[in-house]
């Protein structure tokens, strides 16, 4: 019973909290072609890592390096074997779309050459199952999981050779699945992938060089490789995009986009230096990719600070990259304040972190708290930034969600608050002219997490890892999202959280909601 008392307290504080998202609202306040969904990625959810002809990716190698405290995605949520049940769960929840990624090394083992028929069959099955339940597939081609064979053969994204192999892989996906998939994203969080993977060395492929890496990397060059990998990613994306547009788009009528992680930056103080530094942070984190995609070249400040270490586009490449997206997508979790830090430019051996010449202050994110702070104004700020800086392109929010201790509780009120507030913020942005087309929460299930392994969970559904069947259990947030997706009203004074919580608590046995 103590739990009920605790919940009453939480309700009270929730209702008392100042709500900055839109007022009471429902699904019907959004355009009918706006799409709501939830996401996962191949390595984080599929499992069956060594089954049916799949070969290793750099994500497997990373997960087996011990960095995620012994956890890995070998089995993960076993969606590879349970996709039918999962799609049924999506349909029951009311999801309109599912964002997932294709494992390149499952579809084309070793990265190039013949297609793996069982990999092809799996994605055909998953896509058909989604379509038959009226759920739109939104597909990402690269979610931190380059085939290890290509990493070993020529250094993966640091080599120009990757462009041809990526385009050939994309071609297979468009040809085989494009009659049913209308939303393609070439890269997930390209900015974070190159920064963490090639400068800090703590995401795949774990490359870095002293003194910059967080770990002692065996290979890499933190001064040059982040820029090189980013450049090749942009060229590979542009190649795939041109291919899609010339060969498929007319008949398949789909869209191709690119995904970045966005913080929302605000100056730490109102000094001119910090205000200029904030623009610089936006140029380095977002403009690095968004400027070439929208305008055909890197931001001037990057060319100035990075100098000859920043590759350049020739005229043909620039024309190829410019305009190569139909939409831009962001993953958003928290905001940061920016402080000018010009002395880092005096250091002779520099990396991205020195080139940007700012210090980021994440104090909004309470470090003693596992959960992320909920800052709807920041998500609105991100959407407003793209609207103003890039001429209001069509946007998707591909990830937005709440990190919690994975095994703590199914009564995830902080996640409910997060969803309600951010969805309200998106509605405010739409009403202020943003061309945002969809919102996906991360994640559908509690998946293998990039930094936390299985310590944290972001899912609407808990997955019992001790159970060989990997049984899924709905959290309170799944009930709340379902209520919203089916047209129920949410927001201040709607009473929906209280009603849903009460109903939820009576539907589970007292001990069931607390995970032991
Ligand atoms: C990284 O590349 C730069 C520029 O080519 C070079 O000066 C530096 O020595 C390289 N660092 C390492 C660790 O190889
Ligand atoms: C900066 O100025 C704006 C507008 O006057 C104000 O709202 C904001 O609080 C100030 N920020 C800081 C950090 O002083
Ligand atoms: C951070 O979180 C802890 C634990 O919830 C809380 O005690 C503390 O007051 C918070 N600090 C700030 C600055 O919000
Ligand atoms: C709404 O849009 C206008 C015009 O683009 C802009 O000036 C204003 O800052 C926006 N408001 C918010 C809250 O983003
Ligand atoms: C939940 O997981 C955390 C981190 O792995 C662990 O410290 C804690 O003891 C676990 N709690 C329960 C109730 O199993």
């Amino acid at each position: 019973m103590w739990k009920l008392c605790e919940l009453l307290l939480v309700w009270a504080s929730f209702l008392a909290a100042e709500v900055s998202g839109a007022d009471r609202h429902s699904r019907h306040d959004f355009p009918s072609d706006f799409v709501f969904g939830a996401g996962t990625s191949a390595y984080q959810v599929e499992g069956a890592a060594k089954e049916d002809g799949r070969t290793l990716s750099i994500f497997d190698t990373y997960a087996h390096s011990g960095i995620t405290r012994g956890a890995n995605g070998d089995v993960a949520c076993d969606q590879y074997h349970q996709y039918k049940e999962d799609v049924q769960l999506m349909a029951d929840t009311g999801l309109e779309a599912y964002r997932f990624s294709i494992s390149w090394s499952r579809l084309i083992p070793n990265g190039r050459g013949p297609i793996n028929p069982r990999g092809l069959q799996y994605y055909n099955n998953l896509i058909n199952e989604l379509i038959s339940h009226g759920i739109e597939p939104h597909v990402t081609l690269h979610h931190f999981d380059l085939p290890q064979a290509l990493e070993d053969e020529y250094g993966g994204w640091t080599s120009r050779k990757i462009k041809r192999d990526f385009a050939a892989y994309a071609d297979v996906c468009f040809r085989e699945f494009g009659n049913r998939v209308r939303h393609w994203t070439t890269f997930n969080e390209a900015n974070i992938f190159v920064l963490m993977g090639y400068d800090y060395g703590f995401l795949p492929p774990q490359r870095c060089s002293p003194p910059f890496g967080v770990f002692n990397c065996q290979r890499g060059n933190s001064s040059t490789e982040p820029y090189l990998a980013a450049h090749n990613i942009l060229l590979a994306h542009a190649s795939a995009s041109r291919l899609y547009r010339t060969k498929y788009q007319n008949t398949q009528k789909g869209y191709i986009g690119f995904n970045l992680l966005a913080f929302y930056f605000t100056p730490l103080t109102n000094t001119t230096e910090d205000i200029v530094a904030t623009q610089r942070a936006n140029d380095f984190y977002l403009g690095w990719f968004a400027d070439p995609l929208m305008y055909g070249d890197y931001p001037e400040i990057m060319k100035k600070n990075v100098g000859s270490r920043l590759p350049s586009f020739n005229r043909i490449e620039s024309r190829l990259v410019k305009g190569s997206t139909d939409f831009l997508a962001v993953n958003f979790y928290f905001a940061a304040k920016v402080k000018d830090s010009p002395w880092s430019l005096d250091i002779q051996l520099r990396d991205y972190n020195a080139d940007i010449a700012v210090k980021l202050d994440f104090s909004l994110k309470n470090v003693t708290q596992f959960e992320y702070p909920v800052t709807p104004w920041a998500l609105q700020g991100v959407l407003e930034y793209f609207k103003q800086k890039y001429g209001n392109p069509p946007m998707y929010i591909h990830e937005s969600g709440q990190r919690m201790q994975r095994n703590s509780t199914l009564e995830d009120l902080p996640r409910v608050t997060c969803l309600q507030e951010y969805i309200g913020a998106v509605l405010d942005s739409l009403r202020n002219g943003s061309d945002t087309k969809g919102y996906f929460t991360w994640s559908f299930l509690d998946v293998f997490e990039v930094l936390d392994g299985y310590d944290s969970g972001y899912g609407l559904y808990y997955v019992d890892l001790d159970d060989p069947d990997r049984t899924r259990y709905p959290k309170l947030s799944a009930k709340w999202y379902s209520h919203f997706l089916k047209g129920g009203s949410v927001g201040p004074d709607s009473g929906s959280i209280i009603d849903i919580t009460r109903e939820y608590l009576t539907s589970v046995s007292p001990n069931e909601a607390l995970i032991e």
Side-chain angles (χ1 to χ4, degrees):
M1 236 30 222
W2 64 270
K3 276 192 299 149
L4 268 177
C5 301
E6 189 183 60
L7 264 173
L8 283 167
L9 283 174
V10 185
W11 290 342
S13 61
F14 179 81
L15 293 173
E18 196 185 322
V19 176
S20 40
D23 293 339
R24 182 174 169 161
H25 55 276
S26 78
R27 172 69 183 95
H28 305 300
D29 292 312
F30 289 80
S32 58
D33 64 350
F34 189 95
V35 73
F36 282 98
T40 62
S41 90
Y43 184 70
Q44 295 173 272
V45 77
E46 283 178 4
K50 294 178 188 118
E51 280 177 53
D52 289 352
R54 181 184 181 276
T55 65
L56 298 184
S57 76
I58 59 174
F59 211 154
D60 298 68
T61 307
Y62 159 87
H64 281 273
S65 71
I67 210 166
T68 42
R69 286 176 286 277
N72 61 60
D74 285 0
V75 180
C77 303
D78 197 32
Q79 188 164 82
Y80 187 74
H81 296 114
Q82 303 195 27
Y83 70 92
K84 279 192 179 172
E85 292 80 0
D86 279 347
V87 172
Q88 186 59 53
L89 207 51
M90 292 173 208
D92 294 345
T93 311
L95 295 191
E96 299 161 4
Y98 178 46
R99 173 179 181 251
F100 64 95
S101 74
I102 289 176
S103 162
W104 182 347
S105 62
R106 190 186 292 289
L107 188 61
I108 306 174
N110 301 317
R112 93 162 77 83
I115 298 174
N116 171 16
R118 282 166 300 181
L120 185 65
Q121 187 65 55
Y122 172 67
Y123 292 110
N124 269 324
N125 289 346
L126 172 62
I127 291 164
N128 289 341
E129 196 71 14
L130 288 165
I131 300 283
S132 72
H133 285 80
I135 299 168
E136 266 180 29
H138 285 236
V139 178
T140 301
L141 296 180
H142 184 274
H143 197 118
F144 304 156
D145 61 350
L146 182 78
Q148 184 66 41
L150 300 183
E151 184 70 25
D152 295 342
E153 184 184 329
Y154 52 68
W157 295 107
T158 61
S159 166
R160 286 212 161 211
K161 290 185 183 161
I162 195 71
K163 191 175 94 170
R164 207 187 46 205
D165 287 337
F166 182 74
Y169 158 57
D171 197 8
V172 171
C173 293
F174 302 149
R175 188 182 70 224
E176 300 292 337
F177 311 126
N179 59 341
R180 288 152 293 157
V181 173
R182 289 175 62 243
H183 295 87
W184 296 101
T185 301
T186 50
F187 289 88
N188 175 67
E189 289 187 10
N191 51 350
I192 294 305
F193 173 65
V194 295
L195 182 56
M196 302 298 171
Y198 295 87
D199 188 349
Y200 298 180
F202 72 76
L203 277 190
Q206 293 174 279
R207 294 176 69 90
C208 62
S209 63
F212 302 109
V214 175
F215 299 100
N216 216 353
C217 295
Q218 303 300 310
R219 57 209 179 285
N221 187 330
S222 296
S223 301
T224 54
E225 286 189 358
Y227 300 111
L228 195 58
H231 198 71
N232 290 330
I233 283 174
L234 282 164
L235 294 176
H237 158 83
S239 271
S241 170
R242 186 182 52 179
L243 184 84
Y244 184 65
R245 286 173 173 178
T246 54
K247 223 168 140 181
Y248 300 103
Q249 199 166 33
N250 267 346
T251 49
Q252 298 185 346
K253 310 241 180 291
Y255 308 91
I256 189 158
F258 196 87
N259 174 290
L260 296 168
L261 181 86
F263 300 109
Y264 181 59
F265 293 128
T266 49
L268 184 66
T269 72
N270 272 336
T271 57
T272 310
E273 287 79 5
D274 284 354
I275 291 168
V276 171
T278 301
Q279 183 56 51
R280 193 162 65 243
N282 278 318
D283 286 340
F284 268 79
Y285 273 92
L286 302 174
W288 190 4
F289 294 89
D291 275 33
L293 293 171
M294 304 306 278
Y295 306 130
D297 201 2
Y298 293 116
E300 285 306 317
I301 190 67
M302 285 195 77
K303 294 199 228 175
K304 178 161 174 275
N305 287 9
V306 184
S308 63
R309 287 175 292 123
L310 187 70
S312 54
F313 298 106
N314 65 33
R315 254 193 31 241
I316 294 167
E317 290 167 344
S318 167
R319 287 226 307 268
L320 196 68
V321 172
K322 181 178 176 176
S324 61
T325 54
D326 298 316
F327 63 86
L328 292 176
V330 289
N331 296 350
F332 174 81
Y333 290 97
F334 45 81
K337 292 181 190 161
V338 180
K339 183 171 168 41
D340 188 35
S341 180
W343 40 88
S344 66
L345 291 173
D346 298 336
I347 306 167
Q348 215 166 22
L349 185 60
R350 297 212 304 259
D351 70 337
Y352 172 93
N353 209 29
D355 294 332
I356 187 173
V358 302
K359 273 207 166 359
L360 295 185
D361 171 0
F362 289 105
S363 61
L364 269 169
K365 178 174 153 354
N366 184 340
V367 289
T368 61
Q369 244 168 353
F370 200 79
E371 291 148 24
Y372 296 142
V374 176
T375 53
W377 49 269
L379 178 56
Q380 254 178 282
V382 166
L383 296 176
E384 185 63 25
Y385 182 78
F386 277 93
K387 178 178 131 195
Q388 292 190 11
K389 170 89 182 176
Y390 297 109
N392 205 13
M395 301 281 303
Y396 282 88
I397 294 143
H398 266 169
E399 293 183 19
S400 159
Q402 182 57 283
R403 175 183 186 236
M404 293 180 70
Q405 289 280 2
R406 177 182 222 281
N407 57 5
S408 56
T409 174
L410 295 176
E411 296 159 10
D412 57 345
L413 210 75
R415 185 167 295 108
V416 171
T417 309
C418 165
L419 283 168
Q420 173 158 300
E421 292 285 294
Y422 285 125
I423 289 173
V426 174
L427 184 56
D428 282 344
S429 293
L430 285 176
R431 287 176 171 161
N432 201 36
S434 164
D435 194 16
T436 303
K437 300 281 191 196
Y439 176 94
F440 291 79
T441 187
W442 182 266
S443 45
F444 173 55
L445 304 174
D446 279 347
V447 298
F448 169 73
E449 277 300 333
V450 172
L451 299 170
D452 298 332
Y454 296 109
D455 289 353
S456 71
Y458 293 70
L460 300 171
Y461 289 86
Y462 173 77
V463 178
D464 185 354
L465 298 176
D466 296 327
D467 172 355
D469 292 338
R470 294 283 202 270
T471 305
R472 284 85 162 113
Y473 296 92
K475 300 184 197 176
L476 182 60
S477 56
K479 300 287 180 193
W480 181 90
Y481 201 29
S482 186
H483 164 84
F484 170 75
L485 292 172
K486 292 170 182 172
S489 85
V490 299
D493 307 327
S494 71
S496 65
I497 291 185
I498 293 179
D499 292 343
I500 292 163
T501 308
R502 194 172 286 139
E503 190 186 311
Y504 178 77
L505 283 178
T506 54
S507 76
V508 293
S509 68
N511 288 324
E512 206 181 330
L514 189 71
I515 297 153
E516 307 299 350

